[in-house]
Amino acid sequence: MAWPAGILLACCLWLREAGFASSIGGRCVFPFRYQGQVFHDCTQLNARHKWCSLNQSYTGYWKYCTTADFAKCVFPFWFRRMIYWECTDDGNDFGKKWCSLTQDFNRDQIWKFC
């Protein structure tokens, strides 16, 4: 069955406006809000696998994260009184390397392990 071009176009536009187009192969949006929390990377909250929102304020559109979706380290970043151009173990009691997800860790306190 063939659909008239006008109806097909209207359906596609409605799906895009409703957010369905972005949920198929969409990109993670960081930071995003979910259940009163702000996430700067993929989360495993209420799930078995890490996922992300496709909107800044989660509205039901999400996807499972792939390697390409995880938040990237930001270099250089400022920590205490030093500027770092790579992951560091400074400030970590267990010697595990980490990085900032913003240029100013001192202000934002957003980080991840490398």
Side-chain angles (χ1 to χ4, degrees), residues 4-6 14-15 17 34-35 42 47 60 65-67 71 74-75 78 82 84 88 97 113:
W14 178 82
L15 287 171
E17 290 299 316
Y34 175 68
Q35 293 186 346
C42 297
C65 292
T66 64
T67 306
V74 174
F75 299 110
W78 184 28
M82 303 253 323
Y84 293 84
T88 181
K97 291 192 178 270
F113 286 117

Side-chain angles (χ1 to χ4, degrees), residues 28 30 32 39 41-53 62-67 69-71 112-113:
C28 296
F30 300 116
F32 69 89
F39 295 90
D41 201 354
C42 297
T43 182
Q44 202 167 338
L45 186 68
N46 299 330
R48 287 186 176 191
H49 303 284
K50 292 197 173 202
W51 62 276
C52 65
S53 175
W62 61 278
K63 73 174 199 163
Y64 288 118
C65 292
T66 64
T67 306
D69 295 317
F70 291 99
K112 73 174 199 167
F113 286 117

Side-chain angles (χ1 to χ4, degrees), residues 6-97:
I7 292 175
L8 188 57
L9 178 61
C11 287
C12 290
L13 290 174
W14 178 82
L15 287 171
R16 187 181 74 192
E17 290 299 316
F20 290 106
S22 63
S23 65
I24 301 170
R27 291 183 173 205
C28 296
V29 174
F30 300 116
F32 69 89
R33 292 186 174 280
Y34 175 68
Q35 293 186 346
Q37 297 181 52
V38 177
F39 295 90
H40 295 270
D41 201 354
C42 297
T43 182
Q44 202 167 338
L45 186 68
N46 299 330
R48 287 186 176 191
H49 303 284
K50 292 197 173 202
W51 62 276
C52 65
S53 175
L54 300 178
N55 315 87
Q56 279 190 318
S57 287
Y58 175 80
T59 58
Y61 303 109
W62 61 278
K63 73 174 199 163
Y64 288 118
C65 292
T66 64
T67 306
D69 295 317
F70 291 99
K72 311 292 186 268
C73 295
V74 174
F75 299 110
F77 67 90
W78 184 28
F79 172 58
R80 295 184 179 152
R81 294 184 176 148
M82 303 253 323
I83 295 176
Y84 293 84
W85 294 84
E86 60 187 17
C87 295
T88 181
D89 59 4
D90 289 353
N92 185 285
D93 294 337
F94 302 104
K96 193 164 181 179
K97 291 192 178 270

